[in-house]
Each structure stands twice: as C-alpha cells, then as structure tokens.
Amino acid sequence: MTVEILSPEALLFKGEVTAVNVPGAKGPFVILDHHAPIISMLTAGEVTLFEGKKELKSFTISGGTLECNHNKAVILAD
C-alpha cells in the first residue's frame, strides 16, 4: 500500500509498505494491504512502517488523523 505521512512543515514519508502500526485514539492498531476504508484520530506515540516482517521506519507523533482508502493511507501528523 502507499503511505504518506505529512506534518504541517513537510512531507515526512511517501512510499510503499506492507503494514503501518499507528497509535489510535482507542488503542494502537495495524493497517495492512487492502484494508477496509477507515478514518481515525491518532494520539501521541509511534507510527511504525513495515516491509514484510522488517521494520522500515518509525516516526514519533503528538497526535493527528489517519485516512485509509483504495490501498492508500494518509497520516496528517501533529
């Protein structure tokens, strides 16, 4: 899936990954390839990107929102 992580200052990441672990408002959850459409508030924590079972990158956020639709996840991070 394609993932974009944007902050108010810059585009932090844009690329292809197999999974994204995010700190959801009601607890952490994982978005996988072809996930059902979802919009969620995010809390402070780590956004971790995976390629297969290998951790690709990790970002610390103080909150934000996530939208996943049509195999693309967009994270607007604070």
Side-chain angles (χ1 to χ4, degrees):
M1 91 180 97
T2 302
V3 173
E4 292 182 7
I5 302 175
L6 301 123
S7 74
E9 295 83 26
L11 174 65
L12 301 175
F13 179 86
K14 181 175 182 178
E16 295 293 318
V17 301
T18 56
V20 181
N21 189 8
V22 295
K26 295 194 177 200
F29 63 97
V30 176
I31 302 286
L32 299 171
D33 272 338
H34 304 289
H35 195 283
I38 186 172
I39 296 174
S40 178
M41 297 293 295
L42 302 177
T43 61
E46 294 290 318
V47 174
T48 308
L49 308 173
F50 293 89
E51 182 59 46
K53 294 181 180 181
K54 180 183 172 191
E55 184 178 314
L56 190 62
K57 280 192 172 216
S58 185
F59 299 92
T60 301
I61 64 169
S62 59
T65 59
L66 170 134
E67 179 183 8
C68 180
N69 199 8
H70 301 293
N71 213 34
K72 180 178 180 180
V74 177
I75 297 171
L76 303 175
D78 293 338

